C-alpha cells in the first residue's frame, strides 16, 4: 500500500503536479528504499543525481591556471627573442666578414689616391727611398774625409 | 704632452693639390718589404716605421717659396734638431730629427732646390744607425720576385 502510495506521488512528480510536502516524503522514502521495483529504483537514481549536482562543489585553482599560462607565455617569448638575437648576430658577423674580406690593402697613397696594386706601390716606394738614400750618401760619403785626420795624428804620435 | 707634428697637416693640405706631388707609403708596404728583402739592415730600418711621406712642389716660384716658408714654420728649432746639412752645387739638403725621450720619432729631409723642392719625412720608432747603414747599400734584392708573392 505504502509502495503504491509513493508510486502515485512519483507519477504526480513526473507530471509536475506534486506538492512540495509530497516530494519531501517521496525523497525521504526513496533514500531508505532498497526494494526491487524498477520505477522506484530509477527514481532513486534520478533524485540522487539531482541532489549530488546541487551539493557538488567545483574547485578551480585559478592561481595554478594563471601561473601555468604565464610561464608558458614567458618561455615562448624568450625563445622568440633568443631566435631573433641569434639571427642578428649571425647576420652582422657575416656582414663584417664579407666587408673585411672585400677591403683591399692600401700600400701607398699617391696624390691622395689609394694604391692597392703592389707593383705600383713598390715602384713609388723605391723612388722615395732612393731619394733619401742618395741625399744621405751625399753627406755621409764626405765624412770619409775625416779619416784623413788620422795621418797627422799618427805622425804626431810617432814623433812623441 | 709632446707637440703635435705639423708636417702631417702640411702633407694633408697639399696632397692632391695642383702643383704638388704627394706620396704616402703605409706600414703595409714595409711588411711587404720585409717579406721580399734579403737585406737585414733594410728590415731593421723599416720594422719601426709607421709611414714615409714625400711632398714635392713643382709649381711657380712663389708657390715654392711659400712651400719653404710653411715647412720652416712647421719645424721649430726647439722641437726639431739639425742632423746634417749638405750643400751640393745649387742644392741644399737639410736633415732634422725629432726625439721624444730615447726615441727618434721623426726623421725629416728637406731638399732646397729651385727646380723641385722636396719634403720627405719618416715617422715611427726610427733607428738612426740603421738609417745611416741603409744609405750604404740600397740594392734591395728580391723585389724582382714581387710577382711571386702569393696573395693571401
Amino acid at each position: 500500500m505504502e509502495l503504491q502510495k509513493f508510486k502515485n506521488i512519483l507519477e504526480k512528480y513526473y507530471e509536475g503536479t506534486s506538492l512540495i510536502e509530497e516530494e519531501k516524503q517521496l525523497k525521504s522514502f526513496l533514500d531508505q528504499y532498497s526494494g526491487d521495483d524498477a520505477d522506484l529504483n530509477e527514481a532513486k537514481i534520478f533524485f540522487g543525481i539531482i541532489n549530488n549536482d546541487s551539493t557538488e562543489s567545483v574547485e578551480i585553482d585559478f592561481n595554478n591556471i594563471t601561473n601555468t599560462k604565464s610561464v608558458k607565455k614567458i618561455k615562448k617569448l624568450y625563445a622568440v627573442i633568443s631566435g631573433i638575437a641569434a639571427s642578428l648576430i649571425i647576420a652582422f658577423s657575416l656582414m663584417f666578414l664579407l666587408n673585411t674580406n672585400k677591403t683591399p690593402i692600401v700600400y701607398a697613397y699617391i696624390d691622395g689616391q689609394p694604391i692597392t696594386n703592389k707593383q705600383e706601390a713598390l715602384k713609388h716606394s723605391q723612388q722615395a727611398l732612393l731619394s733619401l738614400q742618395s741625399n744621405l750618401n751625399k753627406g755621409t760619403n764626405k765624412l770619409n774625409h775625416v779619416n784623413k785626420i788620422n795621418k797627422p795624428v799618427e805622425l804626431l804620435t810617432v814623433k812623441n | 704632452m709632446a707637440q703635435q707634428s705639423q708636417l702631417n697637416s702640411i702633407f694633408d693640405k697639399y696632397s692632391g693639390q695642383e702643383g704638388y706631388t704627394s706620396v704616402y707609403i703605409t706600414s703595409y708596404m714595409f711588411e711587404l718589404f720585409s717579406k721580399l728583402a734579403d737585406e737585414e739592415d733594410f728590415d731593421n730600418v723599416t720594422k719601426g716605421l709607421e709611414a714615409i711621406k714625400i711632398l714635392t712642389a713643382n709649381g711657380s716660384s712663389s708657390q715654392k717659396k711659400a712651400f719653404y716658408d710653411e715647412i720652416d714654420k712647421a719645424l721649430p728649432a726647439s722641437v726639431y734638431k739639425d742632423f746634417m746639412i749638405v750643400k751640393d752645387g745649387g742644392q741644399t739638403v737639410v736633415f732634422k730629427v725629432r726625439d721624444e725621450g730615447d726615441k727618434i720619432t721623426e726623421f725629416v729631409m728637406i731638399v732646397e732646390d729651385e727646380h723641385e723642392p722636396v719634403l720627405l719625412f719618416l715617422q715611427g720608432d726610427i733607428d738612426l744607425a740603421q738609417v745611416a747603414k741603409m744609405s750604404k747599400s740600397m740594392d734591395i734584392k728580391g723585389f724582382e720576385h714581387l710577382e711571386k708573392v702569393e696573395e693571401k
Side-chain angles (χ1 to χ4, degrees), chain A residues 111-157:
Chain A
D111 292 331
Q113 298 302 313
I115 305 297
T116 56
N117 181 278
K118 287 179 189 173
Q119 297 271 6
E120 194 179 346
L122 183 62
K123 185 184 82 177
H124 289 286
S125 304
Q126 274 186 294
Q127 286 170 354
L129 290 170
L130 283 168
S131 167
L132 175 63
Q133 174 207 16
S134 68
N135 285 296
L136 266 174
N137 280 346
K138 280 180 196 171
T140 55
N141 284 346
K142 302 302 177 203
L143 290 174
N144 291 334
H145 294 299
V146 172
N147 293 333
K148 293 174 185 169
I149 294 173
N150 290 338
K151 192 66 181 172
V153 169
E154 280 172 21
L155 291 169
L156 287 167
T157 311

Side-chain angles (χ1 to χ4, degrees), chain A residues 4-159:
Chain A
Q4 189 58 45
K5 171 191 165 186
F6 283 106
K7 283 184 83 168
N8 291 337
I9 294 173
L10 182 62
E11 198 171 330
K12 283 171 75 177
Y13 175 82
Y14 286 142
E15 287 171 359
T17 57
S18 59
L19 299 172
I20 292 174
E21 191 55 42
E22 286 175 326
E23 286 172 15
K24 283 183 182 176
Q25 288 175 8
L26 177 61
K27 183 184 174 297
S28 179
F29 171 76
L30 287 171
D31 279 344
Q32 292 167 22
Y33 179 75
S34 55
D36 297 328
D37 189 278
D39 291 335
L40 289 175
N41 278 327
E42 189 181 336
K44 190 172 173 175
I45 295 168
F46 179 74
F47 274 95
I49 291 167
I50 291 174
N51 286 340
N52 283 342
D53 282 350
S54 68
T55 59
E56 184 181 358
S57 64
V58 177
E59 291 179 7
I60 301 171
D61 187 354
F62 287 100
N63 285 336
N64 190 34
I65 290 170
T66 309
N67 286 342
T68 305
K69 281 192 177 174
S70 294
V71 167
K72 282 186 182 173
K73 268 191 182 175
I74 289 168
K75 280 187 181 175
K76 196 175 177 184
L77 188 65
Y78 183 74
V80 169
I81 291 172
S82 299
I84 292 170
S87 302
L88 284 171
I89 288 168
I90 291 167
F92 280 120
S93 301
L94 278 171
M95 277 169 60
F96 175 76
L97 280 170
L98 286 170
N99 279 335
T100 306
N101 288 338
K102 277 186 191 171
T103 309
I105 295 174
V106 178
Y107 294 101
Y109 292 86
I110 309 297
D111 292 331
Q113 298 302 313
I115 305 297
T116 56
N117 181 278
K118 287 179 189 173
Q119 297 271 6
E120 194 179 346
L122 183 62
K123 185 184 82 177
H124 289 286
S125 304
Q126 274 186 294
Q127 286 170 354
L129 290 170
L130 283 168
S131 167
L132 175 63
Q133 174 207 16
S134 68
N135 285 296
L136 266 174
N137 280 346
K138 280 180 196 171
T140 55
N141 284 346
K142 302 302 177 203
L143 290 174
N144 291 334
H145 294 299
V146 172
N147 293 333
K148 293 174 185 169
I149 294 173
N150 290 338
K151 192 66 181 172
V153 169
E154 280 172 21
L155 291 169
L156 287 167
T157 311
V158 167
K159 211 169 190 180

Side-chain angles (χ1 to χ4, degrees), chain A residues 105-112 118-119 121-122 124-126 128-133 135-140, chain B residues 15-16 20-26 28-29 33 52 54 86 88 91 93 95 109 120 131 135 138 143 146:
Chain A
I105 295 174
V106 178
Y107 294 101
Y109 292 86
I110 309 297
D111 292 331
K118 287 179 189 173
Q119 297 271 6
L122 183 62
H124 289 286
S125 304
Q126 274 186 294
L129 290 170
L130 283 168
S131 167
L132 175 63
Q133 174 207 16
N135 285 296
L136 266 174
N137 280 346
K138 280 180 196 171
T140 55
Chain B
S15 183
Y20 298 90
T21 303
S22 66
V23 177
Y24 167 19
I25 303 165
T26 70
Y28 292 111
M29 194 71 230
F33 285 160
I52 298 179
I54 306 104
V86 180
D88 185 20
Q91 193 185 71
V93 183
F95 293 93
M109 180 185 88
L120 183 153
V131 172
S135 69
M138 261 285 290
F143 279 173
L146 177 62

